[in-house]
Amino acid sequence: MTKMTTGAMFVLENNPKQVVLIAPPNSRRVNAFQQALQDIDWPIAKIISFHDIVKHPNLLIDCIEQGDIVRLETSGECSETERLLLQLGESVVANNLVIDNLQLEQGEIIPSNQWYAGLSLFFRHVQQILQQAQPHYRMFDVSEGLVFFDKRKTSIHWQQQGLPTPEIITNHIESFEQLIDTLTKQKTSRVFIKLAHGSAASGTIALSVTDKKIHAVTTIELLQQTGQIHFYNTRRLKQYTDRQTIAMMFNQLLKYHDLQIEAWIPKASYQGKIFDVRIVVINGQAQHILIRLGKRAMTNLHLENGRGDLEQVKTYLGDHWATIPKLAEQAMLAFPNSLYAGLDVLVTPHQHKAYLLEANTFGDFHPNTYWQGLNTYQAELLALLKRNKLIDD
């Protein structure tokens, strides 16, 4: 979609607020957010890092003035911030890892169970600090945000609301052989194995098993270092067909990650590529929508995949299209305290039925995507003003 000057932009330009942004400084997202503020004539955001909050909690309190907006951004683009969360998580999850030895800058997969424990402690620490600050407006909800960061809890919550999600195969797997035995008993041959606390398809395996062969497509690259196998993220999907290698990979994941194992539902295809839909739902409304096209099982844009033409896909799906943004909006109704999230929706071949895959707390970084002339950040700010009755709806 192209950007245009709209009434929504005019409203924002005439109702400036100060934003306090909790984030690793100088990340792409921080720079994009500051540009979004500049484009609507708002003051630049005050930035306070995760490290500053942990070491000097009063800095955040002192930074916030009455009526300010507080936003929390992902730690994912800063390895030192990720290490901080791992250090915080050590008190909860003892992986006995030397954190400084992890090659995070080179893409080594972060031990997500320990990372999530640290994130949970940090989120709650921020929540406690904000309770002492001047009255302000928050763009995030700690409790629901932590649920979004656990794919298992999110799926179960949606299922309890009667919303369609891929079937969860099991939550109690302790080895690869137990997984194969479970799949055999359930007569299931294809599953997605995901890090419950992961993002960007990190550590994901699309596994196909038959009596005669086994095949895994994954974002995991195995590298031998100092006599040990290390797991790295790769943008170019890898394929493995050796049972022993796949078993080792799965069992190693179990050591450092909580896993979501779900049925592998085929995705619809368009112009020779499979696709799914990323929808940023803001204040209950599906607004910024992207079609993600891929050649294999995973469609994440950073995996050398591309964007599809939204209008062409709408035409291709016909009357079925309307169910997709509606489902995303229903999914966010199940999280009423969250202002926004990026949701991934799968569409099946033939019947074109929609399924919810996951929600992403920080799934709103989509440059050059607009709704009523606003990018995602600007649309979120407008929604916050409306939600808190700071402007007329």
Side-chain angles (χ1 to χ4, degrees):
M1 298 180 186
T2 57
K3 181 181 176 182
M4 65 186 81
T5 302
T6 65
M9 181 74 74
F10 179 81
V11 170
L12 281 172
E13 290 172 346
N14 286 275
N15 290 276
K17 290 283 185 182
Q18 178 64 58
V19 178
V20 176
L21 181 56
I22 302 169
N26 302 318
S27 73
R28 291 180 306 157
R29 292 169 181 254
V30 167
N31 294 335
F33 188 79
Q34 296 284 39
Q35 184 62 54
L37 294 177
Q38 181 178 327
D39 289 345
I40 56 174
D41 296 328
W42 281 31
I44 63 170
K46 300 176 184 177
I47 311 296
I48 183 165
S49 72
F50 286 44
H51 285 83
D52 286 340
I53 288 175
V54 171
K55 294 178 181 178
H56 310 289
N58 285 338
L59 283 178
L60 180 58
I61 297 174
D62 295 341
C63 201
I64 298 171
E65 298 182 10
Q66 184 170 343
D68 284 355
I69 295 171
V70 180
R71 177 181 173 87
L72 179 62
E73 191 52 270
T74 178
S75 61
E77 292 187 17
C78 178
S79 297
E80 287 308 308
T81 304
E82 298 285 60
R83 287 191 174 91
L84 171 68
L85 296 179
L86 287 173
Q87 290 165 0
L88 294 175
E90 277 184 318
S91 63
V92 180
V93 176
N95 280 324
N96 298 317
L97 294 170
V98 180
I99 294 172
D100 288 341
N101 289 348
L102 293 171
Q103 302 295 308
L104 301 181
E105 291 83 358
Q106 286 72 44
E108 186 167 6
I109 296 177
I110 197 166
S112 61
N113 56 2
Q114 185 172 329
W115 175 89
Y116 180 72
L119 181 77
S120 301
L121 290 174
F122 179 77
F123 270 25
R124 294 189 178 106
H125 182 53
V126 168
Q127 187 176 42
Q128 291 172 355
I129 295 172
L130 291 178
Q131 290 173 352
Q132 305 172 52
Q134 291 287 322
H136 59 275
Y137 305 100
R138 300 179 200 175
M139 297 183 70
F140 61 94
D141 181 83
V142 165
S143 297
E144 292 183 356
L146 289 174
V147 173
F148 287 148
F149 267 109
D150 190 325
K151 293 179 176 61
R152 302 163 304 176
K153 291 182 179 179
T154 304
S155 293
I156 290 171
H157 188 59
W158 281 336
Q159 290 170 2
Q160 291 172 342
Q161 308 300 313
L163 300 175
T165 67
E167 177 187 1
I168 299 175
I169 301 304
T170 179
N171 282 323
H172 304 287
I173 293 293
E174 298 180 359
S175 70
F176 180 74
E177 293 307 319
Q178 185 184 359
L179 171 65
I180 296 301
D181 183 57
T182 299
L183 297 182
T184 300
K185 289 178 180 177
Q186 296 187 8
K187 298 181 179 180
T188 300
S189 61
R190 287 159 47 99
V191 292
F192 258 95
I193 300 163
K194 302 177 180 180
L195 308 188
H197 312 305
S199 60
S202 176
T204 298
I205 303 172
L207 181 67
S208 175
V209 182
T210 65
D211 292 337
K212 296 183 179 180
K213 64 180 181 179
I214 185 169
H215 183 238
V217 178
T218 179
T219 57
I220 299 171
E221 183 172 13
L222 304 177
L223 295 179
Q224 182 104 15
Q225 295 175 337
T226 62
Q228 294 183 325
I229 298 292
H230 291 255
F231 287 23
Y232 283 77
N233 292 300
T234 176
R235 292 176 183 270
R236 184 164 295 180
L237 295 178
K238 297 292 184 179
Q239 298 189 62
Y240 298 94
T241 56
D242 177 66
R243 184 185 181 95
Q244 186 174 354
T245 300
I246 296 171
M248 178 277 294
M249 192 160 48
F250 181 82
N251 289 331
Q252 191 73 1
L253 285 180
L254 285 173
K255 290 183 181 180
Y256 302 112
H257 309 275
D258 299 317
L259 300 180
Q260 160 94 331
I261 303 173
E262 64 187 35
W264 179 351
I265 299 176
K267 296 178 179 179
S269 61
Y270 178 69
Q271 294 183 337
K273 295 182 179 180
I274 63 169
F275 73 89
D276 61 13
V277 187
R278 163 61 63 88
I279 303 176
V280 183
V281 179
I282 301 174
N283 204 22
Q285 184 178 11
Q287 295 187 0
H288 302 75
I289 302 177
L290 293 85
I291 304 298
R292 308 189 303 182
L293 297 174
K295 295 180 179 179
R296 296 188 188 171
M298 301 169 208
T299 57
N300 302 70
L301 295 177
H302 71 287
L303 300 178
E304 300 183 343
N305 294 317
R307 293 189 185 190
D309 187 291
L310 176 59
E311 296 306 317
Q312 289 182 10
V313 171
K314 284 183 178 180
T315 301
Y316 170 67
L317 293 176
D319 293 341
H320 295 284
W321 169 258
T323 65
I324 297 169
K326 181 179 179 180
L327 178 59
E329 291 173 350
Q330 290 173 330
M332 284 303 290
L333 286 176
F335 295 95
N337 297 320
S338 293
L339 179 65
Y340 63 90
L343 280 76
D344 296 335
V345 180
L346 174 153
V347 184
T348 64
H350 310 304
Q351 294 182 339
H352 295 155
K353 182 177 179 180
Y355 286 87
L356 294 164
L357 293 177
E358 56 190 77
N360 303 272
T361 307
F362 302 123
D364 60 344
F365 180 57
H366 298 299
N368 302 315
T369 304
Y370 300 97
W371 175 84
Q372 293 189 3
L374 306 179
N375 65 23
T376 52
Y377 300 144
Q378 294 161 347
E380 289 159 5
L381 293 170
L382 179 66
L384 182 139
L385 296 180
K386 290 181 178 180
R387 192 171 192 170
N388 290 280
K389 304 187 185 307
L390 299 176
I391 58 174
D392 294 333
D393 197 343

